[in-house]
Amino acid sequence: MPNLIITADDCGLTEAVNQKTYELHKAGYISAASVMTNYSAHQHALALFRTCPDLDLGIHLSLTDGHPVSDNEAHHPHLLNEDFSFRSNLSLYLRSHFFSAEAAAWIRNELDAQLRRFTEAGLRPRHISTHHHFHSIPLLRRIVHELATSYEVDWVRAHDFRATISAHNLFPRRQQRRERYTFTMPDYITAIQACLSQPVEKFCARVMRLSGTVEIVVHPAAPRDPDFPADWHYGITPRQAEIQYLVRAVNRLRELGVDI
């Protein structure tokens, strides 16, 4: 029987996203929330979620959306556009092969600044996840893991794509742990976003065949949200479809005996 963590990503993007996450948690469909502190609604998110003692509250580090929060004036051109917004996730993955020591230092400083915004609210991040899964890149994973140790987080999202439960990965394998960490990692990860094309029953059957900890990721949104970024790459409509899918999946998993 799998042990499930159901995480809402992109919290802090807007207050409506935060509120929808809160409602889903109170209804029993979400057990963890991952907050982006480089968006203005992060303060609302942290204030709202601190009232939920059973919510596993963590940080969703970003290098591919929004703007940096660090005061370092040496904005690195490989990472930022002319308006000082982060470049796309495709750009980050391609350019990561050529990052200099200076770029790596800038990234560590920026991610540390994002984490400090969390702790300055009087909260300790219980977990770390990364926007667009950038800690699958070895250099960035080392930085994330170092910060996870420094901030004494409980767990970090699995980074190995082979540990992903999706329609394209027919034979997932458990997240490998080749080093001794001060934190844990879920054994598997699956995103509702990548499973919308398959029947809920099939999705639940795949989850039920696993042993260990499985993190299920969802991207909540409110049906109407005037503050939702118009140029955001993943809009409200598919996020609403994710919520509907998640509710059906959780209800079915509970019928099968999974404790959520």
Side-chain angles (χ1 to χ4, degrees):
M1 189 76 68
N3 176 43
L4 297 187
I5 301 171
I6 305 178
T7 306
D9 270 7
D10 298 348
C11 299
L13 181 61
T14 70
E15 292 189 9
V17 168
N18 301 338
Q19 185 62 38
K20 190 62 182 180
T21 300
Y22 176 84
E23 293 170 3
L24 288 167
H25 170 65
K26 287 299 185 180
Y29 293 105
I30 284 176
S31 60
S34 206
V35 180
M36 305 173 77
T37 61
N38 69 320
Y39 278 88
S40 59
H42 80 275
Q43 293 176 323
H44 175 269
L46 296 177
L48 180 64
F49 296 150
R50 75 189 308 156
T51 66
C52 304
D54 296 330
L55 183 65
D56 187 329
L57 186 57
I59 192 166
H60 196 50
L61 295 172
S62 180
L63 291 173
T64 55
D65 267 314
H67 292 74
V69 305
S70 55
D71 295 328
N72 189 349
E73 295 182 358
H75 294 301
H76 204 283
H78 287 177
L79 297 162
L80 303 175
N81 297 306
E82 291 183 0
D83 65 351
F84 297 118
S85 63
F86 283 121
R87 293 184 180 274
S88 68
N89 58 315
L90 177 60
S91 174
L92 180 70
Y93 274 81
L94 292 176
R95 292 169 185 265
S96 66
H97 297 288
F98 310 101
F99 280 159
S100 63
E102 178 189 9
W106 189 93
I107 289 171
R108 193 187 193 289
N109 180 71
E110 169 59 25
L111 298 182
D112 184 57
Q114 292 182 26
L115 279 155
R116 286 200 307 274
R117 279 194 167 188
F118 200 107
T119 58
E120 285 167 359
L123 296 165
R124 178 182 68 88
R126 293 179 58 185
H127 70 263
I128 290 178
S129 63
T130 63
H131 193 45
H132 292 132
H133 213 65
F134 69 71
H135 71 300
S136 63
I137 300 170
L139 170 63
L140 303 187
R141 180 164 63 251
R142 286 195 294 272
I143 294 173
V144 168
H145 285 180
E146 288 172 4
L147 290 170
T149 297
S150 177
Y151 281 84
E152 299 181 335
V153 304
D154 297 333
W155 59 277
V156 176
R157 177 167 292 168
H159 55 267
D160 191 344
F161 284 112
R162 288 169 292 186
T164 301
I165 313 301
S166 70
H168 304 293
N169 187 14
L170 299 179
F171 303 102
R173 77 170 194 178
R174 190 183 297 264
Q175 171 66 58
Q176 303 296 299
R177 298 176 177 85
R178 297 186 178 88
E179 301 177 32
R180 296 181 64 182
Y181 301 112
T182 60
F183 48 85
T184 63
M185 285 183 283
D187 299 293
Y188 301 95
I189 179 174
T190 183
I192 296 294
Q193 178 183 4
C195 300
L196 290 173
S197 62
Q198 62 180 279
V200 169
E201 191 70 33
K202 183 176 180 180
F203 170 79
C204 293
R206 292 198 72 187
V207 171
M208 289 297 295
R209 287 196 292 268
L210 302 172
S211 62
T213 302
V214 181
E215 184 188 9
I216 300 176
V217 179
V218 64
H219 301 86
R224 295 177 181 83
D225 184 356
D227 296 323
F228 197 92
D231 59 347
W232 193 259
H233 48 84
Y234 190 56
I236 289 177
T237 299
R239 289 167 183 260
Q240 286 289 295
E242 281 195 43
I243 293 172
Q244 296 170 11
Y245 192 102
L246 175 71
V247 169
R248 296 199 303 272
V250 168
N251 289 339
R252 178 56 180 151
L253 288 167
R254 284 200 172 106
E255 290 174 359
L256 295 171
V258 178
D259 185 23
I260 298 171

